Amino acid sequence: MFSSNSLTRFRNLLAKSLTDTCTIEREATAQDQYGASSHSWEVVADGVNCRLIQGGESNSSGAQRSGEREVLEEEYKVALPWGTDVGADYRITVGDVRYLVVRVEQALTDDVMTMALVVRDNG
């Protein structure tokens, strides 16, 4: 385990590599006066420093059909500052492209960054 001074230095070094900015949103569900559910997105954080990393094809159960073929979604990783509020019901927008969060890596060592695994939002 690193000392608190070393951990601070590592987090500061990571911050210099977060060359993109993103908006993080959480899905919100509400009911109207008739009891019907409506879904919307609420901004959790805007202008968050991040870095989008292409991760390859997803091996999750997210295969989609394109014509008559199954197509695996491309998976990406988004590196965020440690402690960023993000979860599996969130989406992250980097530039003009929206990504749905598939999961957040919980077992990263030394608490230097938060890492979200995402796929492109085609909806």
Side-chain angles (χ1 to χ4, degrees):
M1 188 72 182
F2 294 114
S3 70
S4 62
N5 288 338
S6 294
L7 190 54
T8 299
R9 281 197 311 253
F10 288 137
R11 287 180 180 167
N12 289 338
L13 284 171
L14 172 73
K16 292 177 183 178
S17 73
L18 302 179
T19 55
D20 298 314
T21 57
C22 65
T23 300
I24 301 172
E25 298 170 283
R26 173 180 38 229
E27 187 173 17
T29 305
Q31 289 187 340
D32 65 16
Q33 61 188 8
Y34 304 107
S37 293
S38 65
H39 298 275
S40 62
W41 293 94
E42 61 185 21
V43 174
V44 173
D46 192 25
V48 177
N49 291 334
C50 68
R51 184 170 189 130
L52 181 67
I53 305 163
Q54 188 164 357
E57 291 181 348
S58 171
N59 59 3
S60 64
S61 61
Q64 297 181 346
R65 290 208 170 270
S66 175
E68 291 299 316
R69 302 180 307 148
E70 273 195 6
V71 177
L72 292 176
E73 294 177 321
E74 263 191 89
E75 194 171 79
Y76 300 84
K77 296 177 182 179
V78 179
L80 300 157
W82 172 250
T84 301
D85 182 17
V86 65
D89 57 345
Y90 288 51
R91 74 179 178 190
I92 298 173
T93 304
V94 181
D96 294 332
V97 182
R98 287 189 316 246
Y99 299 90
L100 298 173
V101 176
V102 176
R103 74 175 186 270
V104 177
E105 291 292 341
Q106 301 293 336
L108 294 176
T109 59
D110 302 318
D111 302 336
V112 174
M113 71 177 129
T114 298
M115 181 70 72
L117 277 67
V118 299
V119 294
R120 194 180 287 250
D121 181 3
N122 295 320

